[in-house]
């Protein structure tokens, strides 16, 4: 994938240097390229937040704007960036969930654990990459980012593809669409429904809830579905 844009927000030069060295080591081992910017206070990154930032490493206890306040401000206008708190103040872990923090990295930084966090972060970013599939809708061929497809259903001998912004009628069978999609991300929960595991909110006794929509799940498929879903979600925890 392209270079990953990383911001380090740390008022201690030594700790900032250790993070950069860990990223350099990860690059040497994994071949992942990073574009790194360093800020020495939360207020600095809030004022000059770089566009298309992928990952923010954020110290909690800083002399100016603290890490949690900084994270709340960042999250208000960037819901996708991965935030890692780097701190010895683990007592604030619960507050991190309010800004959807990816993880806490406890000081002093230990590289093996850091590498594990980074591998999961790379998987998450890879998953978000645009993957376009072509769908036949009437006489047109429509290009759709498969990561935006929430679920697909059979409708009046055609298929209805529900994305996070609209729904598209397709002149293709559900089975044909399924073959175009990543089997590690999409699961056939019912003869008439195919769901994107990334959008699954809740599993009920007889339904799967996908962004607020209840979709029936076959009792013969549920056991395997639960295993596949657990494996999928576990990759990003």
């Amino acid at each position: 994938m392209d270079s990953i844009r990383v911001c380090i927000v740390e008022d201690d030069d030594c700790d900032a240097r250790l993070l950069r060295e860990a990223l350099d080591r990860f690059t040497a081992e994994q071949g992942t390229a990073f574009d790194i910017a360093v800020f020495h206070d939360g207020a600095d990154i809030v004022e000059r937040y770089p566009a298309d930032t992928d990952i923010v490493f954020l110290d909690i206890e800083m002399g100016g704007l603290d890490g949690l306040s900084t994270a709340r401000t960042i999250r208000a206008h960037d819901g996708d960036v991965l935030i890692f708190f780097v701190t010895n103040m683990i007592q604030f872990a619960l507050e991190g969930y309010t800004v959807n923090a990816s993880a806490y990295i406890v000081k002093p930084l230990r590289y093996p654990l850091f590498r594990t966090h980074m591998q999961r972060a790379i998987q998450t970013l890879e998953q978000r990459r645009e993957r376009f599939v072509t769908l036949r809708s009437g006489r047109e061929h429509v290009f759709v980012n498969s990561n935006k497809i929430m679920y697909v259903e059979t409708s009046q001998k055609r298929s209805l593809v529900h994305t996070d912004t609209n729904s598209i009628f397709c002149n293709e069978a559900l089975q044909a669409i399924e073959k175009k999609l990543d089997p590690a991300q999409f699961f056939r929960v019912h003869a008439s429904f195919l769901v994107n595991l990334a959008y699954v909110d809740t599993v009920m006794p007889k339904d799967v809830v996908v962004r607020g929509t209840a979709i029936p799940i076959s009792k013969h498929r549920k056991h395997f579905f639960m295993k596949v879903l657990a494996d999928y979600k576990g990759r990003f925890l």
Side-chain angles (χ1 to χ4, degrees):
M1 65 185 300
D2 296 334
S3 178
I4 295 173
R5 190 157 198 175
V6 174
C7 292
I8 297 173
V9 188
E10 174 60 74
D11 62 354
D12 186 297
D13 290 337
C14 180
D15 286 337
R17 176 176 54 80
L18 290 174
L19 268 172
R20 292 199 67 131
E21 289 175 353
L23 288 167
D24 290 342
R25 182 174 173 182
F26 189 86
T27 296
E29 292 179 356
Q30 308 288 330
T32 305
F34 297 104
D35 179 8
I36 304 172
V38 178
F39 299 85
H40 292 93
D41 184 81
D44 292 338
I45 190 173
V46 167
E47 293 172 5
R48 299 181 287 118
Y49 187 70
D52 302 322
T53 300
D54 296 304
I55 300 173
V56 175
F57 292 102
L58 189 57
D59 186 20
I60 286 185
E61 191 176 24
M62 293 182 286
L65 189 65
D66 67 89
L68 284 168
S69 298
T70 301
R72 292 188 187 101
T73 303
I74 290 174
R75 188 59 81 206
H77 61 83
D78 189 343
D80 293 328
V81 66
L82 303 181
I83 297 175
F84 288 88
F85 287 118
V86 187
T87 181
N88 53 15
M89 303 178 69
I90 198 64
Q91 63 267 33
F92 290 106
L94 288 177
E95 291 191 54
Y97 288 107
T98 66
V99 292
N100 194 24
S102 295
Y104 274 76
I105 299 175
V106 180
K107 298 178 181 181
L109 185 147
R110 294 174 176 80
Y111 182 74
L113 183 57
F114 175 85
R115 178 177 56 208
T116 297
H117 287 312
M118 287 306 300
Q119 288 171 336
R120 290 175 177 171
I122 300 305
Q123 285 182 329
T124 299
L125 295 172
E126 284 278 4
Q127 185 63 44
R128 291 176 179 174
R129 287 194 312 170
E130 294 184 338
R131 293 183 174 88
F132 286 93
V133 294
T134 306
L135 303 174
R136 285 191 295 108
S137 180
R139 296 182 179 181
E140 299 179 349
H141 284 83
V142 182
F143 295 92
V144 180
N145 179 3
S146 63
N147 286 330
K148 301 296 185 180
I149 296 175
M150 298 190 298
Y151 66 96
V152 186
E153 65 176 308
T154 298
S155 177
Q156 299 176 349
K157 298 183 179 180
R158 295 190 295 174
S159 296
L160 185 58
V161 178
H162 300 271
T163 75
D164 60 356
T165 57
N166 62 351
S167 298
I168 305 166
F169 273 108
C170 296
N171 300 49
E172 298 181 62
L174 185 61
Q175 185 177 8
I177 295 175
E178 183 178 10
K179 290 180 180 179
K180 299 180 181 183
L181 301 173
D182 183 357
Q185 186 176 355
F186 289 84
F187 191 94
R188 190 83 165 265
V189 296
H190 186 278
S192 299
F193 289 92
L194 177 70
V195 303
N196 186 336
L197 300 174
Y199 289 93
V200 173
D201 298 320
T202 311
V203 180
M204 308 294 284
K206 296 183 179 180
D207 300 300
V208 176
V209 180
V210 178
R211 288 299 186 267
T213 300
I215 294 171
I217 181 170
S218 167
K219 64 179 181 180
H220 302 295
R221 303 174 192 232
K222 186 174 181 180
H223 178 75
F224 185 52
F225 170 75
M226 294 301 295
K227 181 181 183 305
V228 171
L229 181 65
D231 290 344
Y232 177 85
K233 296 292 189 182
R235 289 162 51 194
F236 308 107
L237 295 178

